[in-house]
Amino acid sequence: FIDPLCPVDTFGKRLRAARDSLGYTQEQVGAEVGVTKATVSKWELDRGQPSLDGLRALRELLGVSLDSLICEEPKERAQVRN
């Protein structure tokens, strides 16, 4: 399985691609996740990162896995731990 979001090179760009694919505005995403539109904009511009709770909320709202948002395959995580 190749996730279509992973070729995009940054978290912010992957978040924007996922949001755009569903037709959500930054304001809608912020309201659902519990942050402001400005915060979502910062994430998409890679000027900030969501908390773990924020990532979980994004995962549920956007219908994507955390792996696809952060673009880290389980195999890569295991190598980081070693």
Side-chain angles (χ1 to χ4, degrees):
F1 171 73
I2 298 175
D3 194 303
L5 298 178
C6 280
V8 180
D9 58 351
T10 69
F11 169 80
K13 289 179 181 177
R14 286 188 294 277
L15 175 58
R16 170 91 189 250
R19 178 179 65 78
D20 284 347
S21 74
L22 295 172
Y24 290 138
T25 65
Q26 289 178 339
E27 188 171 9
Q28 288 170 316
V29 170
E32 290 295 322
V33 176
V35 299
T36 65
K37 173 186 172 183
T39 297
V40 176
S41 177
K42 285 181 187 179
W43 295 343
E44 290 184 356
L45 294 171
D46 293 304
R47 294 186 179 153
Q49 298 176 344
S51 66
L52 184 55
D53 287 339
L55 284 171
R56 288 179 183 137
L58 289 169
R59 174 194 67 194
E60 290 183 26
L61 175 66
L62 302 173
V64 296
S65 70
L66 289 180
D67 285 339
S68 69
L69 279 176
I70 61 174
C71 211
E72 181 178 48
E73 296 299 320
K75 179 180 174 184
E76 292 171 338
R77 282 194 307 248
Q79 291 173 350
V80 170
R81 290 183 191 147
N82 292 334

